[in-house]
Amino acid sequence: SLPSRRLLEIYPNFDAVLQTHTMEDRGAVLLSLAGGGALAAPPQPPTPPLRPPSPPSPPMPGHTRSYENCAIVDAAREWQLYWTYLPEDNLIRMAMEKAGESGWISIGFQDINHVDIENTNEMGQADYIVADGSGSSGWVRDYYIARDENGEPDIDPQQDIRGGVVTRISGKTVAEFSRQLKTGDSYVRDKVITRTNKVLWANTDSGRYDKYHGKACGSIVMEWDKPSQCGAADTALYEFCDSATRNFCISWAVSGLYIEFTMIGLTLGYVSFGITDTPGKMYSADSWLCWVDSAGVGHLEDGHMDSYLAPQLDSQQDLELLSASETGGMTSCTFRRLLSTGDLQDRSIKQAGGMNDIIWATHTTDDRLAKHAKKGSGSVDFAMGGSVLTPSVSAPIVEVKEVGKQHVCSSGGKFCLWWEFVNKSSAIQFTMESDKATGYVSLGFGDVLGVMAPADMYAGWVDTSGQGVFTDRYLPSGYESPQLDAQQNGVLVSAASLNGKTRVVFQRSLDTGDVGMDRAILRSGNNVIWATHDLAPLSKDANMATHSSRDRGSFSINFYTGAVAGTSSSFPKYIYVAWAYVGTLLLVGVCARLVGAQLDIVIQRRLAPPLPPSLLHSLCLDFATVTVDLTIGEWLCIGLYFVFLIASALVAQQDFTPVPQEDGEVFGAVAGFNLMVSLLPVTRHSLWAPLLGCSFERAIKFHRWVARGFMLNVLLHALEMCDTFGFSAATELEPNAAGEGNLYGTIAAILMAVIMLGALEPVRRHAWEVFLVSHMAYLPTLVLICLHATDLQYVVLVSIALYAADMMLRTFTQTFRGCKVLKLEPVGGGTLRLKVSTSAAFSAGQYMFLRIPAISSHEMHPFSISSSPWPATQHFITFHIKSMGAGTWTEKLLQLSNDKSQKRSLKVFMDGPYGAWSIDPKRYPRLVLVAGGIGITPLMSLLTDLLAQERTLPQDTSVHLMWSSRDLEAFTQWFPEEIAKLQESKMFHLHLFLTQKHGTFTEDIEMGSGFQVAWKTGRPNYSDLIVESTADVIAGDVGVFACGPAPMVASVQSEAHKRGFMFHKETFFL
């Protein structure tokens, strides 16, 4: 005999005549031709058949032979494929059958390992068999498409089909042929038919073959070696119901490669069921959901579930809806699908005794995203009809915990969030709870921490009927009510209002796939925002009421690790700027001290004299007047201040961008920076004096200026925040998410305004007690500020620590420095002399704060020391104090000086000494000291100090005192002994002026010691006096000191600046 391939070449129709035998109808013997005998083949174990033998059946109408298998491949059930699969013979026989006696029909084969089985429109890389039934006889030919993309088939030069026959009968077109499983032709032109191939089919209803099929096409994955039958004769009908109440029933019939279902639910809403991998569980399930809309149109969705959320639509819809209706309070839906769709998102239907775990659910509405009202599960054998029932329930989706394994709550418990991963970490369950019995609670995932938009949001509430409502929303920009997301990707598990709180539990996928609307749950963490309100939206699609500033907040949460950081505890970067400013000041001060005295000469030089005093100066707007009086060192400190102030604003802008109250938050941050800086100069024992050469009385002006800047920032902050949230927000007492209460800030601002008004110069000068009492409000003000803005506790921490240490030291020294009064006597001109017993060391020009309990238990006032620190062994300090008018502390002390009965028991508590000369008087050969009235006290301390050290000073040292007073007693009674000694020394030159009379006459007055003092009447001409006193020296050898009324000091300072003299002035009022 010849090989079968050769036979087919010689006899093309051979296989149509001679049928291939079966495995049972063949055998072999060993023949001995020589002996004429036959030996049976060695016994072999029976070879099991590759498939169960099919009973013989007559050919179908129009068919020339019978086929073992049949499949319906199109949704309209008008296209059937018949085949007999013979892998042992490398052969397959097929018959294609379509409705209609005209047109053409085709089938193609693709290698399942090299194509996308889910793409039903992919024609490339396929081997095609085309049959044309037009004309008198028709034809069957071999075609192919070699390209990856779709295109027109090309005829195969090697025709590998055999026995091609086209028959038209009974309204059908039948094309029969056979071909080898592996033809030996090029792989590009012929594909190997393996156990499984992707099959493409197409046809037209009329006309000759023109290579275009229109929409009559499709594809199916064929398993050639599996038995398959189609037709009514092969169909068996089975049924499954959930219980005796028949809330849900399904019936089904297997027809070839298809299975047809009818599901009926006792509802007018949706009905659904599916196949699950886990008995009784929703996750890992293939879901089929059907409903009938208000127009009577049926809808069917092929979906899948990876969690307890609503089913997600499959990318490939593998269901065919046959009918759907609502009648008698029931919804009925009939559809069919392939037993094995080849869709990776579908579950294959088990046959031949295999049990399929199913779930079902119904709802009273058509909302596919609504949580089911009833549900159930069971196990079904779709091939044999057996089933195991799991009773239906009306409970939630699954047994879920109301709270998760991990949680976080805002300050005050206004909002709490629990979370837990479900379904093997493919989904997550959230439980959000507000402190309100009514209204909504919402949770969102934003791009920026603490920023409302853009964000993915979920809101839930309990409506007036007690039903839970849940919505998936988003806010692309702005700060309005979030909009409903077109794709609702969250599922409500439960919602309840209990014990004065609202709790909503929902689930969502870790990544919903809703690009642009939803945010995925990231392993790196998510920015979480929340808000609550005691009013709920009127309906699911209604706007949400705008929350108050206290009913909102944010966290940075890593849901995988449980790490949580809240905006209230996050560390804004502008705080580092404030700390850096303090560190820079310390560094500059240390460097200045290391450089030494030569740098002092430079930094203490002034760039310009002060402007003349004016009314604005008295109203505390003295900035322009005093700025020109600053030293170079002070200008450097101011420059550093503004650099860090701007840096603080810029960094704060980054901290709070983009939030609706951004500008208000920035003003608040800058106010915090100014608050810290304003507290630095008020510490009397601080490091600034020794490091920067700027004593307390000269640094206090910076306190006043920066405090005014602080108040300006507070005002701008308040206006911006009220503009954003409304003026009613300023009175909100309840803390917000960060634990901050707005009312605290409002009260603090009012107290700061009171403090600022009490610090005006007219108040300080004429009502020191008012100034002191108003400043006592600083402590509650700082507490309120930190309660209002918790971040500021870190900003002012350094300043508060320094100030607290300063206060403790001052309290300690005051407590143990209750000093005995050695002398308290009036000396004329409304002035008294106070001599106190103490061993405290001091330097010339310093001052003390005095507290006398006999006058006031809490008031302390600064007074310059008028006595000399020499000799060092002396144990007293002398003050000359002038009464400032009726009712003042100084007037009360003057009255005590006239009361001999109280002098003996009088105690004085002192705090100090403080202050220092800005220039070293011993460095200059020529000193000019200018005093007005009681301003003589610090200069007299300097004069007597120089007098005591006269022998150690250079021989050319010359000191000129220019002292003017309207009281003659100042010259005769205040310092009689000191003036007498100064007149005896040739180093000192006294120029005394009595200003209560006008004229230029001179008189000599007899002093108590027998000396006489010369004085002149009228106001001195400081320009002429300074010129006369310094005519014989260069500018660098002259140091000018002044203390007295502001106009006098300004005049002297102008003269000194004009001539290039170094200048120091004492502050008359702190």
Side-chain angles (χ1 to χ4, degrees):
S1 63
L2 298 174
S4 60
R5 181 175 179 83
R6 180 59 178 161
L7 285 173
L8 291 174
E9 291 176 355
I10 299 174
Y11 306 104
N13 294 326
F14 174 80
D15 62 333
V17 178
L18 179 62
Q19 303 296 320
T20 303
H21 58 76
T22 66
M23 293 184 63
E24 291 77 13
D25 296 329
R26 66 185 177 115
V29 294
L30 181 63
L31 297 179
S32 176
L33 299 181
L39 299 177
Q44 299 291 331
T47 303
L50 295 179
R51 59 187 180 280
S54 301
S57 59
M60 297 290 292
H63 294 202
T64 61
R65 65 169 68 92
S66 297
Y67 297 89
E68 295 182 1
N69 302 287
C70 173
I72 301 173
V73 300
D74 71 320
R77 312 184 76 163
E78 297 178 349
W79 214 108
Q80 288 84 36
L81 178 66
Y82 300 82
W83 76 94
T84 299
Y85 181 62
L86 302 169
E88 64 275 39
D89 296 324
N90 190 31
L91 188 69
I92 188 169
R93 296 192 182 96
M94 287 188 181
M96 302 181 288
E97 178 180 297
K98 79 172 186 69
E101 296 185 14
S102 61
W104 56 268
I105 185 171
S106 71
I107 187 172
F109 307 96
Q110 289 182 330
D111 188 342
I112 198 171
N113 297 316
H114 295 86
V115 295
D116 183 3
I117 63 173
E118 297 181 10
N119 190 341
T120 60
N121 298 319
E122 180 60 56
M123 292 175 58
Q125 302 188 64
D127 176 21
Y128 288 89
I129 309 298
V130 180
D132 191 343
S134 304
S136 58
S137 60
W139 50 262
V140 181
R141 295 173 184 166
D142 190 359
Y143 286 77
Y144 71 97
I145 297 178
R147 298 175 296 278
D148 291 339
E149 65 275 12
N150 300 335
E152 295 181 352
D154 297 320
I155 192 164
D156 192 337
Q158 180 177 315
Q159 293 290 305
D160 295 305
I161 57 173
R162 297 294 180 265
V165 177
V166 180
T167 305
R168 296 183 298 275
I169 185 173
S170 303
K172 295 182 178 181
T173 299
V174 180
E176 296 178 279
F177 65 94
S178 63
R179 65 154 279 183
Q180 290 181 305
L181 303 180
K182 185 175 182 181
T183 65
D185 197 358
S186 168
Y187 176 80
V188 175
R189 296 193 293 267
D190 282 356
K191 296 298 180 286
V192 176
I193 296 179
T194 60
R195 294 180 59 187
T196 304
N197 288 90
K198 182 179 179 182
V199 173
L200 303 98
W201 60 268
N203 66 269
T204 59
D205 294 331
S206 63
R208 302 180 65 85
Y209 178 66
D210 60 359
K211 301 182 180 179
Y212 182 71
H213 50 72
K215 295 184 178 180
C217 63
S219 65
I220 186 172
V221 175
M222 297 297 299
E223 295 177 279
W224 306 111
D225 61 341
K226 287 190 176 181
S228 176
Q229 296 297 320
C230 53
D234 302 318
T235 300
L237 182 64
Y238 301 101
E239 184 182 69
F240 163 85
C241 290
D242 72 308
S243 65
T245 58
R246 302 177 72 87
N247 287 316
F248 179 85
C249 291
I250 56 172
S251 60
W252 67 93
V254 177
S255 177
L257 296 179
Y258 284 85
I259 185 169
E260 183 176 301
F261 291 103
T262 296
M263 54 181 174
I264 302 176
L266 191 61
T267 179
L268 295 180
Y270 71 69
V271 293
S272 69
F273 92 100
I275 301 174
T276 179
D277 293 340
T278 307
K281 303 298 183 182
M282 285 178 60
Y283 55 79
S284 300
D286 190 7
S287 172
W288 311 314
L289 188 144
C290 180
W291 72 94
V292 179
D293 62 22
S294 57
V297 178
H299 301 270
L300 179 67
E301 290 183 350
D302 182 7
H304 64 278
M305 290 179 288
D306 297 325
S307 64
Y308 298 119
L309 307 178
Q312 302 181 43
L313 288 177
D314 282 4
S315 56
Q316 178 176 316
Q317 293 292 300
D318 297 305
L319 306 180
E320 177 191 354
L321 178 62
L322 302 178
S323 65
S325 63
E326 288 181 345
T327 180
M330 295 185 295
T331 297
S332 174
C333 183
T334 301
F335 65 97
R336 73 170 190 156
R337 61 155 274 183
L338 287 168
L339 295 171
S340 178
T341 64
D343 187 349
L344 298 179
Q345 293 177 315
D346 289 344
R347 304 299 185 271
S348 295
I349 295 176
K350 301 175 183 177
Q351 296 189 83
M355 298 298 287
N356 297 266
D357 293 309
I358 69 166
I359 56 173
W360 64 266
T362 64
H363 197 268
T364 56
T365 71
D366 294 339
D367 185 0
R368 62 175 296 273
L369 298 177
K371 187 189 72 175
H372 53 256
K374 296 180 182 297
K375 68 158 189 159
S377 61
S379 297
V380 177
D381 183 348
F382 289 116
M384 303 303 295
S387 64
V388 178
L389 173 66
T390 302
S392 62
V393 294
S394 300
I397 302 174
V398 288
E399 292 285 339
V400 294
K401 296 180 180 179
E402 283 295 301
V403 296
K405 294 181 178 179
Q406 303 184 73
H407 80 284
V408 63
C409 290
S410 66
S411 300
K414 299 185 74 65
F415 174 86
C416 289
L417 177 69
W418 291 263
W419 67 91
E420 182 176 3
F421 291 98
V422 294
N423 185 28
K424 302 178 182 178
S425 298
S426 67
I428 189 169
Q429 174 177 301
F430 291 107
T431 300
M432 48 185 181
E433 181 181 87
S434 74
D435 63 345
K436 298 174 176 59
T438 61
Y440 70 76
V441 56
S442 66
L443 171 69
F445 305 101
D447 294 343
V448 181
L449 180 62
V451 179
M452 185 174 174
D456 171 25
M457 297 186 181
Y458 301 90
W461 61 91
V462 179
D463 63 18
T464 55
S465 65
Q467 296 296 315
V469 183
F470 181 77
T471 58
D472 179 5
R473 298 171 178 251
Y474 75 99
L475 187 62
S477 62
Y479 304 97
E480 305 300 326
S481 175
Q483 307 169 28
L484 276 179
D485 195 336
Q487 182 175 322
Q488 295 287 300
N489 293 311
V491 174
L492 178 66
V493 176
S494 66
S497 178
L498 297 172
N499 302 322
K501 296 184 178 183
T502 298
R503 173 177 288 183
V504 175
V505 184
F506 72 97
Q507 296 177 356
R508 57 154 284 178
S509 296
L510 299 181
D511 188 352
T512 66
D514 192 357
V515 180
M517 300 298 181
D518 291 348
R519 303 298 187 270
I521 305 300
L522 305 175
R523 289 191 174 273
S524 58
N526 288 83
N527 297 317
V528 177
I529 57 177
W530 64 265
T532 65
H533 201 284
D534 54 8
L535 293 178
L538 297 177
S539 62
K540 189 172 184 179
D541 56 353
N543 287 337
M544 298 164 59
T546 302
H547 55 76
S548 67
S549 60
R550 67 180 181 273
D551 292 327
R552 61 180 174 87
S554 59
F555 303 98
S556 176
I557 303 179
N558 189 315
F559 294 109
Y560 292 86
T561 65
V564 178
T567 52
S568 59
S569 61
S570 57
F571 211 71
K573 300 180 182 62
Y574 75 87
I575 294 177
Y576 293 111
V577 178
W579 288 357
Y581 174 72
V582 176
T584 303
L585 282 180
L586 289 173
L587 180 62
V588 170
V590 171
C591 293
R593 293 304 95 192
L594 292 176
V595 172
Q598 295 302 319
L599 181 61
D600 283 343
I601 297 176
V602 176
I603 65 175
Q604 295 298 339
R605 187 176 297 278
R606 288 170 170 81
L607 298 179
L611 299 175
S614 63
L615 178 62
L616 291 178
H617 179 275
S618 64
L619 294 177
C620 89
L621 301 178
D622 55 344
F623 184 76
T625 302
V626 183
T627 48
V628 295
D629 185 36
L630 297 174
T631 65
I632 294 176
E634 290 171 334
W635 274 115
L636 290 175
C637 291
I638 291 174
L640 280 175
Y641 161 75
F642 277 107
V643 168
F644 281 90
L645 181 72
I646 295 172
S648 177
L650 294 176
V651 173
Q653 190 175 33
Q654 296 298 318
D655 285 336
F656 297 108
T657 300
V659 295
Q661 69 275 22
E662 172 190 336
D663 293 339
E665 295 285 9
V666 171
F667 284 128
V670 175
F673 177 81
N674 279 330
L675 177 63
M676 181 202 70
V677 177
S678 68
L679 293 176
L680 295 178
V682 299
T683 51
R684 300 175 188 172
H685 294 91
S686 70
L687 298 174
W688 314 120
L691 288 178
L692 301 176
C694 185
S695 60
F696 167 74
E697 72 279 0
R698 284 183 292 138
I700 202 68
K701 60 177 175 285
F702 297 112
H703 166 71
R704 292 195 291 268
W705 293 350
V706 177
R708 293 164 193 166
F710 166 74
M711 281 303 300
L712 177 61
N713 291 134
V714 168
L715 178 62
L716 294 174
H717 166 72
L719 291 176
E720 285 289 340
M721 298 301 278
C722 289
D723 181 60
T724 302
F725 298 108
F727 283 92
S728 61
T731 60
E732 292 178 352
L733 178 60
E734 294 186 39
N736 60 15
E740 304 169 344
N742 292 343
L743 186 58
Y744 299 136
T746 302
I747 298 174
I750 295 173
L751 291 178
M752 281 300 303
V754 172
I755 292 173
M756 189 182 75
L757 292 174
L760 297 178
E761 183 175 330
V763 179
R764 300 198 315 271
R765 185 169 184 177
H766 300 291
W768 176 268
E769 293 80 3
V770 174
F771 161 75
L772 186 64
V773 172
S774 65
H775 261 62
M776 290 297 178
Y778 80 92
L779 186 58
T781 301
L782 291 179
V783 173
L784 289 170
I785 288 174
C786 291
L787 288 175
H788 169 64
T790 55
D791 292 339
L792 293 186
Q793 61 183 318
Y794 304 107
V795 177
V796 300
L797 182 62
V798 176
S799 298
I800 291 178
L802 290 173
Y803 191 70
D806 176 72
M807 288 295 296
M808 292 178 62
L809 180 60
R810 286 158 55 185
T811 302
F812 177 82
T813 55
Q814 292 171 33
T815 301
F816 294 97
R817 285 189 183 179
C819 303
K820 181 180 179 181
V821 176
L822 300 177
K823 184 180 292 187
L824 177 63
E825 58 183 359
V827 291
T831 305
L832 61 89
R833 179 186 297 115
L834 174 63
K835 191 174 184 180
V836 181
S837 174
T838 180
S839 59
F842 66 94
S843 299
Q846 290 191 304
Y847 60 92
M848 289 274 198
F849 283 87
L850 304 182
R851 181 173 64 89
I852 301 178
I855 301 176
S856 175
S857 61
H858 61 277
E859 289 188 36
M860 299 197 73
H861 297 268
F863 297 101
S864 297
I865 300 173
S866 56
S867 57
S868 170
W870 290 91
T873 56
Q874 69 180 9
H875 298 290
F876 66 88
I877 294 179
T878 303
F879 301 93
H880 283 70
I881 301 173
K882 185 177 180 63
S883 172
M884 301 306 296
T888 62
W889 188 91
T890 54
E891 176 64 22
K892 294 176 182 178
L893 181 59
L894 182 60
Q895 293 174 2
L896 279 178
S897 67
N898 294 312
D899 189 347
K900 295 182 180 180
S901 62
Q902 295 191 33
K903 290 182 182 180
R904 298 176 183 177
S905 60
L906 204 61
K907 287 287 186 180
V908 177
F909 291 85
M910 298 187 298
D911 176 23
Y914 300 107
W917 306 115
S918 60
I919 58 177
D920 185 359
K922 297 176 183 178
R923 185 180 295 167
Y924 302 96
R926 188 65 47 88
L927 294 176
V928 178
L929 311 183
V930 182
I934 196 64
I936 188 61
T937 51
L939 299 183
M940 185 57 68
S941 178
L942 174 60
L943 287 168
T944 53
D945 182 36
L946 294 174
L947 180 63
Q949 302 181 66
E950 181 177 5
R951 295 182 180 181
T952 64
L953 298 176
Q955 293 294 327
D956 58 345
T957 300
S958 178
V959 181
H960 295 260
L961 172 64
M962 303 168 189
W963 180 18
S964 60
S965 176
R966 60 183 177 180
D967 299 312
L968 184 60
E969 292 89 348
F971 303 145
T972 60
Q973 299 181 35
W974 291 7
F975 303 99
E977 296 180 1
E978 290 84 349
I979 290 179
K981 292 179 181 180
L982 290 173
Q983 286 194 131
E984 291 179 349
S985 173
K986 296 182 179 180
M987 187 175 69
F988 298 93
H989 308 276
L990 306 185
H991 307 273
L992 309 182
F993 295 88
L994 183 64
T995 59
Q996 68 178 357
K997 294 182 180 180
H998 298 283
T1000 56
F1001 60 91
T1002 303
E1003 292 187 7
D1004 293 333
I1005 297 180
E1006 185 73 22
M1007 307 294 288
S1009 60
F1011 289 94
Q1012 290 184 337
V1013 60
W1015 52 271
K1016 295 181 179 180
T1017 59
R1019 297 185 181 278
N1021 187 326
Y1022 293 112
S1023 178
D1024 294 341
L1025 290 173
I1026 292 175
V1027 170
E1028 293 174 5
S1029 304
T1030 59
D1032 57 338
V1033 293
I1034 61 176
D1037 291 339
V1038 179
V1040 180
F1041 295 76
C1043 183
M1048 181 208 76
V1049 174
S1051 175
V1052 175
Q1053 185 174 351
S1054 296
E1055 292 298 327
H1057 179 77
K1058 186 187 305 181
R1059 290 166 176 79
F1061 300 157
M1062 293 297 294
F1063 178 79
H1064 169 84
K1065 65 178 179 180
E1066 284 293 298
T1067 301
F1068 205 68
F1069 293 100
L1070 294 181

